[in-house]
């Protein structure tokens, strides 16, 4: 059995009186790809944002690569080095070039030299096929190109875990495939990934485990073949039927 890189046990999350995550437990092995799906408001984004402390949790336990996530700055810093995050809205600095967006963190937070950071950045931009855009500003790029830059930026710290929060939902349909292609390549290279997405084709192609959430709870989790062909829960079947994917 693959050793768990991420251990989430009994996670509880509230926003004021709203109970966003209810006793969520999920273990992700090193090299595994987990896709989280479900209706809007089901807690998917809250879950991945809690993993690297973009949102604090109020109960339960999160552990990444042996580091337990608590309120201590050292634990938060360590887990953010261990994990890279790709957001729905890219979150690139518009006043910096693509290259500067990638090198800013390593130069200032990791104390790398500019030449070290730039060499690594160019390798990653080549990897996601936007190296020719390195000296442009984000506003000069398409949405698909910006999201591929964001993926490259997430890889700059050589993270053990990549978190994706609906990375294609803001893209025009013709740009979705170019981002998914990069994500599929990363998955095939063995990168550990937790992906919140409605792209069920991606889940079928690369996921080791598909997790369905609703109302802050994990309703069902299963390998793709079982999840799509023979879901055990009525709520899962209803969700898949609306996507016209039920077997």
């Amino acid at each position: 059995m693959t050793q768990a890189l991420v251990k989430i046990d009994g996670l509880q999350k509230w926003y004021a009186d709203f109970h966003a995550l209810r006793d969520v437990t999920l273990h992700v092995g090193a090299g595994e790809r987990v896709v989280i799906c479900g209706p809007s408001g089901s807690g998917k984004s809250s879950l991945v944002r809690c993993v690297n402390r973009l949102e604090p949790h109020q109960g339960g336990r999160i552990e990444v690569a042996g580091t337990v996530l608590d309120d201590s700055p050292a634990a938060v810093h360590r887990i953010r080095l261990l994990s890279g995050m790709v957001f729905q809205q890219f979150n690139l600095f518009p006043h910096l070039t693509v290259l500067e967006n990638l090198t800013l963190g390593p130069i200032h937070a990791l104390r790398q030299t500019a030449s070290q950071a730039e060499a690594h950045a160019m390798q990653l931009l080549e990897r996601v096929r936007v190296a020719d855009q390195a000296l442009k500003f984000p506003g000069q790029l398409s949405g698909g190109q910006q999201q591929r830059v964001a993926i490259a930026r997430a890889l700059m710290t050589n993270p053990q875990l990549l978190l994706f929060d609906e990375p294609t939902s803001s893209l025009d349909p013709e740009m979705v495939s170019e981002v998914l292609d990069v994500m599929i390549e990363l998955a095939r290279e063995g990168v550990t990934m937790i992906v919140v997405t409605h792209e069920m084709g991606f889940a079928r192609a690369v996921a080791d485990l598909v997790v369905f959430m609703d109302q802050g709870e994990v309703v069902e989790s299963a390998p793709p073949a079982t999840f799509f062909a023979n879901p055990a829960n009525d709520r899962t079947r209803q969700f898949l039927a609306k996507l016209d994917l039920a077997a």
Side-chain angles (χ1 to χ4, degrees):
M1 181 177 291
T2 304
Q3 184 176 1
L5 178 70
V6 181
K7 299 178 183 178
I8 302 168
D9 293 295
L11 195 66
Q12 307 281 353
K13 169 66 184 173
W14 282 268
Y15 296 100
D17 294 330
F18 177 64
H19 201 174
L21 296 173
R22 302 169 181 264
D23 196 28
V24 172
T25 293
L26 177 66
H27 290 190
V28 181
E32 288 186 338
R33 287 84 63 183
V34 174
V35 168
I36 303 174
C37 61
S40 297
S42 60
K44 310 181 300 295
S45 293
S46 293
L47 177 58
V48 294
R49 291 174 68 87
C50 283
V51 172
N52 69 350
R53 205 57 168 188
L54 291 174
E55 294 285 351
H57 59 283
Q58 287 82 35
R61 188 175 187 271
I62 298 173
E63 179 182 327
V64 179
T67 297
V68 176
L69 181 57
D70 54 28
D71 291 327
S72 69
V76 174
H77 178 69
R78 174 65 178 160
I79 282 181
R80 287 181 178 170
L81 288 178
L82 290 167
S83 60
M85 183 85 175
V86 180
F87 301 89
Q88 179 178 339
Q89 298 292 344
F90 320 140
N91 288 6
L92 300 172
F93 292 110
H95 64 290
L96 300 179
T97 66
V98 165
L99 187 60
E100 289 168 340
N101 265 279
L102 266 66
T103 59
L104 182 67
I107 290 173
H108 293 281
L110 302 181
R111 306 301 175 120
Q112 292 183 6
T113 66
S115 59
Q116 288 175 326
E118 288 175 4
H120 189 203
M122 289 305 300
Q123 289 175 352
L124 292 174
L125 291 173
E126 186 71 36
R127 187 175 177 184
V128 300
R129 299 187 292 278
V130 286
D132 57 336
Q133 310 296 321
L135 300 182
K136 292 184 179 179
F137 293 93
Q140 297 175 290
L141 275 58
S142 70
Q145 288 173 326
Q146 289 187 64
Q147 193 60 293
R148 283 184 280 157
V149 170
I151 293 171
R153 182 182 58 183
L155 292 167
M156 281 294 291
T157 60
N158 296 313
Q160 295 186 38
L161 169 69
L162 280 183
L163 305 167
F164 293 85
D165 186 7
E166 301 197 24
T168 61
S169 62
S170 294
L171 300 177
D172 293 333
E174 63 269 20
M175 298 178 185
V176 169
S177 62
E178 63 188 55
V179 173
L180 290 178
D181 286 346
V182 169
M183 293 171 63
I184 289 169
E185 288 177 13
L186 291 173
R188 289 173 177 167
E189 291 169 9
V191 176
T192 308
M193 303 167 70
I194 302 177
V195 183
V196 173
T197 186
H198 293 293
E199 299 290 342
M200 295 297 97
F202 174 83
R204 287 180 186 271
V206 305
D208 296 298
L209 185 72
V210 183
V211 176
F212 174 65
M213 293 186 67
D214 192 25
Q215 298 183 16
E217 298 179 319
V218 172
V219 175
E220 184 163 352
S221 60
T226 302
F227 183 87
F228 290 108
N230 191 30
N233 190 280
D234 286 341
R235 182 66 188 91
T236 310
R237 287 192 286 271
Q238 292 168 9
F239 176 76
L240 292 174
K242 289 180 180 179
L243 297 177
D244 196 27
L245 287 170

